[in-house]
Amino acid sequence: MRFRLDLSHYGDRFELVFKGDLSADGVSREMDIDIRQAAITLHPTEWLDLRAGRQVLTWGTGDLVFLNDLFPKDFVSFFIGREDEFLKAPSNALKFSVYAGPINLDVVWTPIFEPDRFITGERLSFFDPSTAGLVSATSMGQPLESFLPPKKFSNGELAGRIFRTLSGYELSLYGYVGFTKQPLAFDLAADMATHSGLSVYGASARGTWLGGVANLEGAYYDSADDEGTDSNVPHSQFRGLAGYERELIANLTMGLQYYLEWTQDYDELVANSATPQFEPDEIRHTVTTRFTYRLRQETLMLTLFGFFSSSDEDGHLRPSLTYKRSDAVTLTAGANIMFGDDVAFSGQLKDNSNAYLRLRYSF
Amino acid sequence: MKPSPASLITPIVGLSLLARPVVAQDLTDVAEIVQRANLASYYAGNDGRARVRMTITDARGRNRIRQFTILRRDQSDGGDQDYAVLFSRPADVRNTVFLVKKHVGRDDDRWLYLPALDLVKRIAAGDKRTSFVGSHFLYEDVSGRSVDEDEHELVETTDAFYVVKNIPRDAGSVEFTSWTAWIDKTTFLPIKMEYIDDAGEVYRRIEALDVAEFDGHPTVTRMQVSDLRSGGYTISEFRNVQYDLGIPESVFTERTLRSPSRRWFSVR
């Protein structure tokens, strides 16, 4: 059960937005308040916007695939079938937007590092290389926790984007300085999973092509481990994405994406790994498909999103059916079906495959 | 002298020549009629703003509401245009923004901003003839179908209307075989449009129910589109219509998608 309060005030020079969810949870048997937005936006001049507070932030060109978007994600919500909007977790941040004619600039400063809401074993079990098996909060005795960087001025996150639109093509350059959003590193002193230093540089382009929309995006994940020899720190990676979406027949849209993760200094990674047999391939290929079919004046919508990885031999299917009974009542039925090896990205979650039914009443 | 047939005719011809400036001369050039109808429907003033309320009624009589403010700015009369739409109702689409860069002679650029995800989504241009936000209006009805996409034929000139039949140049790109417009001879606003399918049946009709004048521009203020196959229909009502506000081009950019300027969207 989830109750949302959505308040906003729009003035001439400022806006206030509040969006909070109160939820009662049948799994953890707890009440929880999740403030998704509590921010003030100021328009001090014609060319500057400033947003301060708790906010949901997104950029980049991928569909459920994020390269240059290092804002926090909620993978638990994503895999258990909450609405897509919950994949994006809020950040406590300060965002500057500068609109200098043709060139625009966004800078986001998150003073206290905000990790992804990652899979902890509480709702979803996952593969643990050290025990070579699937683990859960029950088997571990407690949910997985990560050791967070100390709350120091220098341990914040800084993300930036420069963008412009040139004859219908959106071109962007991105930069990020912070930490791995998932606890991919291991802190020997604390004996805990942790987030190691990370810088990301990237670029993207998006525009219309052959009656559809095409996008290209690339990013270099520059890890703290320069030598590539420290097995407790993830290696640098090159990530690339190419996508295309268009309408096939009236009201039926198809989207296709190809995504690549290429781990650098791979030989050193395997040579220094405690569990080399469980290391992912040097190059991971993933293909995603999305079909959307709208019927009956858009009151009925069928979607099928699929992730398939040829290198990991695993996949994740997300079928859903949405029925808008009225402006107030929306019914959704759907499922998350994961398959593949225990070791693979989606395969390790296969025991967590689920179906859901959702009723939303808005007023 | 017996009047010759010629002298009998002459006064009549002379009368009719005199009468012409009084009863405005009918246009015969279909290209001019279509161009003037296009300008009257979609290019009034250099820019414009309206509050729009769409009531969607399905075959069983159930209603849904879409409420939004629409801004338009012309690059040139009959040429490229920018549109921005900010939704206020229903609750699940509040603050969603739709931006169109309409191009004559090539595909439009279209974006949708989803506030819950802070996501700017690019929309493929190929699906212009799909439903606009679940209504019986199509995207193309909102921003206008390019006059070059059809062959035009003036089939009839009545006391009040030019009746123009339009046949698509690329039949594969649309769901109709032709459409006919009843264009008002004084305002050049299409008062009725009927779409005909393969079987020769009218399956879709758009009607201007009310017309009013704002800042010297005759404007349709109530419009109905009917799906004659299902029995469903949508009525669109335009309020607070204003023209020539001086909306700057900078309003039609990604900034407006993410943080719509209340100065231009708020109706006072």
Side-chain angles (χ1 to χ4, degrees):
Chain A
M1 279 287 287
R2 184 178 288 267
F3 176 76
R4 167 165 293 183
L5 186 65
D6 187 344
L7 300 169
S8 50
H9 171 80
Y10 297 97
D12 261 5
R13 295 235 162 255
F14 73 98
E15 293 151 27
L16 287 168
V17 179
F18 177 86
K19 242 184 227 181
D21 291 344
L22 174 69
S23 58
D25 192 314
V27 175
S28 60
R29 294 175 182 278
E30 280 173 1
M31 294 277 283
D32 199 16
I33 289 177
D34 187 7
I35 296 169
R36 292 194 61 78
Q37 278 190 59
I40 181 166
T41 307
L42 302 170
H43 309 284
T45 69
E46 274 297 306
W47 50 270
L48 177 69
D49 283 351
L50 218 143
R51 181 170 293 172
R54 198 160 174 84
Q55 49 192 306
V56 174
L57 293 155
T58 302
W59 61 41
T61 63
D63 180 6
L64 301 183
V65 177
F66 303 94
L67 287 80
N68 289 296
D69 179 337
L70 278 292
F71 303 114
K73 322 285 183 306
D74 183 344
F75 286 102
V76 178
S77 288
F78 181 65
F79 282 107
I80 65 173
R82 285 187 190 139
E83 282 172 81
D84 279 358
E85 71 169 279
F86 293 104
L87 169 59
K88 297 294 297 194
S91 320
N92 296 317
L94 193 59
K95 182 185 182 187
F96 296 85
S97 299
V98 178
Y99 302 92
I103 305 261
N104 304 291
L105 171 73
D106 282 337
V107 176
V108 178
W109 179 47
T110 310
I112 297 168
F113 170 67
E114 184 75 48
D116 285 349
R117 297 180 184 180
F118 50 84
I119 292 159
T120 62
E122 189 177 17
R123 286 161 193 281
L124 302 165
S125 53
F126 60 93
F127 182 77
D128 175 15
S130 63
T131 59
L134 295 175
V135 293
S136 69
T138 318
S139 71
M140 293 185 294
Q142 62 173 53
L144 176 71
E145 280 178 40
S146 69
F147 182 70
L148 293 171
K151 291 175 186 175
K152 284 195 303 190
F153 206 62
S154 55
N155 281 347
E157 296 172 274
L158 199 60
R161 174 175 72 131
I162 297 171
F163 61 105
R164 75 170 296 178
T165 304
L166 206 62
S167 36
Y169 291 93
E170 299 156 74
L171 309 171
S172 303
L173 292 172
Y174 308 86
Y176 170 82
V177 183
F179 299 89
T180 59
K181 306 298 284 192
Q182 299 268 331
L184 299 174
F186 196 80
D187 188 300
L188 291 169
D191 193 26
M192 274 172 96
T194 190
H195 308 265
S196 55
L198 175 72
S199 302
V200 180
Y201 324 98
S204 74
R206 180 164 68 175
T208 54
W209 186 54
L210 300 174
V213 173
N215 61 292
L216 271 176
E217 188 167 342
Y220 184 71
Y221 277 55
D222 191 0
S223 169
D225 177 22
D226 289 331
E227 308 294 312
T229 50
D230 187 347
S231 64
N232 292 316
V233 173
H235 280 215
S236 296
Q237 282 186 332
F238 171 78
R239 298 185 181 189
L241 175 75
Y244 184 64
E245 186 185 77
R246 72 165 292 169
E247 191 176 58
L248 289 181
I249 53 167
N251 299 314
L252 175 65
T253 307
M254 187 184 78
L256 269 178
Q257 295 184 115
Y258 167 71
Y259 170 65
L260 167 151
E261 263 182 37
W262 178 18
T263 303
Q264 307 295 299
D265 302 313
Y266 188 74
D267 293 344
E268 284 83 351
L269 174 83
V270 172
N272 291 293
S273 173
T275 53
Q277 69 276 29
F278 300 136
E279 292 296 343
D281 287 358
E282 178 175 3
I283 299 177
R284 285 183 61 217
H285 309 272
T286 303
V287 170
T288 80
T289 58
R290 179 192 283 277
F291 292 92
T292 307
Y293 195 27
R294 292 185 172 83
L295 294 147
R296 295 181 168 204
Q297 232 54 54
E298 299 191 354
T299 52
L300 197 60
M301 188 170 82
L302 299 163
T303 66
L304 178 62
F305 193 95
F307 290 91
F308 308 95
S309 171
S310 61
S311 42
D312 293 11
E313 294 177 346
D314 71 340
H316 175 190
L317 284 174
R318 293 167 62 82
S320 80
L321 186 154
T322 303
Y323 171 55
K324 292 199 169 188
R325 198 180 171 281
S326 67
D327 283 342
V329 178
T330 304
L331 278 158
T332 306
N336 280 283
I337 302 155
M338 283 74 86
F339 53 92
D341 257 5
D342 280 358
V343 193
F345 182 78
S346 301
Q348 63 180 308
L349 297 168
K350 66 181 175 230
D351 293 346
N352 302 301
S353 292
N354 58 72
Y356 60 89
L357 191 67
R358 190 164 64 218
L359 170 76
R360 183 179 176 137
Y361 184 79
S362 51
F363 52 91
Chain B
M1 193 178 93
K2 214 175 139 188
S4 73
S7 66
L8 270 178
I9 293 163
T10 312
I12 300 166
V13 172
L15 267 178
S16 70
L17 280 172
L18 279 175
R20 283 201 174 182
V22 181
V23 179
Q25 189 176 346
D26 286 344
L27 297 175
T28 51
D29 178 7
V30 71
E32 189 185 347
I33 295 168
V34 167
Q35 191 54 256
R36 288 183 68 168
N38 183 39
L39 293 179
S41 306
Y42 294 104
Y43 292 90
N46 294 319
D47 61 41
R49 170 171 70 200
R51 291 268 292 154
V52 185
R53 183 187 165 95
M54 282 184 172
T55 308
I56 307 161
T57 306
D58 70 11
R60 291 162 65 184
R62 291 177 300 198
N63 288 336
R64 290 183 292 141
I65 304 287
R66 299 284 176 273
Q67 209 161 292
F68 53 89
T69 302
I70 185 164
L71 304 181
R72 167 182 58 84
R73 184 183 187 275
D74 301 344
Q75 305 279 357
S76 63
D77 264 359
D80 288 3
Q81 289 182 314
D82 302 331
Y83 286 89
V85 176
L86 172 66
F87 288 88
S88 49
R89 270 188 73 183
D92 64 341
V93 298
R94 189 180 298 141
N95 293 330
T96 298
V97 182
F98 177 55
L99 183 68
V100 182
K101 296 256 171 197
K102 176 179 151 183
H103 304 295
V104 174
R106 66 180 172 97
D107 281 344
D108 299 346
D109 293 311
R110 305 190 301 166
W111 292 266
L112 195 65
Y113 175 69
L114 306 170
L117 287 154
D118 184 41
L119 180 69
V120 174
K121 196 172 152 42
R122 189 79 181 241
I123 314 174
D127 49 358
K128 281 192 220 176
R129 296 205 61 83
T130 57
S131 162
F132 177 72
V133 295
S135 76
H136 296 87
F137 284 94
L138 308 179
Y139 279 101
E140 208 170 60
D141 300 323
V142 177
S143 58
R145 176 170 171 82
S146 172
V147 292
D148 300 327
E149 296 205 54
D150 300 307
E151 303 273 3
H152 313 285
E153 184 194 339
L154 180 61
V155 290
E156 197 187 350
T157 302
T158 69
D159 289 347
F161 301 112
Y162 296 113
V163 184
V164 176
K165 185 178 176 184
N166 309 277
I167 298 163
R169 292 209 157 105
D170 176 10
S173 68
V174 290
E175 79 288 358
F176 54 81
T177 53
S178 74
W179 61 286
T180 302
W182 280 258
I183 298 165
D184 186 292
K185 281 162 77 174
T186 38
T187 64
F188 283 92
L189 291 173
I191 299 303
K192 185 166 78 167
M193 289 172 265
E194 287 185 340
Y195 293 79
I196 293 161
D197 63 15
D198 297 340
E201 299 284 324
V202 177
Y203 69 93
R204 181 168 192 263
R205 180 181 295 136
I206 304 180
E207 293 154 289
L209 305 177
D210 286 320
V211 175
E213 199 168 292
F214 299 92
D215 306 327
H217 303 289
T219 306
V220 178
T221 53
R222 231 166 135 245
M223 198 186 242
Q224 175 166 345
V225 52
S226 310
D227 177 346
L228 304 176
R229 287 185 189 134
S230 75
Y233 62 91
T234 297
I235 290 180
S236 210
E237 293 162 289
F238 299 78
R239 286 172 233 179
N240 304 89
V241 179
Q242 283 176 286
Y243 294 106
D244 292 318
L245 295 151
I247 307 172
E249 187 168 15
S250 62
V251 167
F252 302 90
T253 58
E254 185 172 332
R255 179 188 206 176
T256 285
L257 284 169
R258 289 182 184 266
S259 174
S261 159
R262 304 293 151 179
R263 181 174 161 203
W264 296 108
F265 281 103
S266 63
V267 177
R268 274 169 257 208

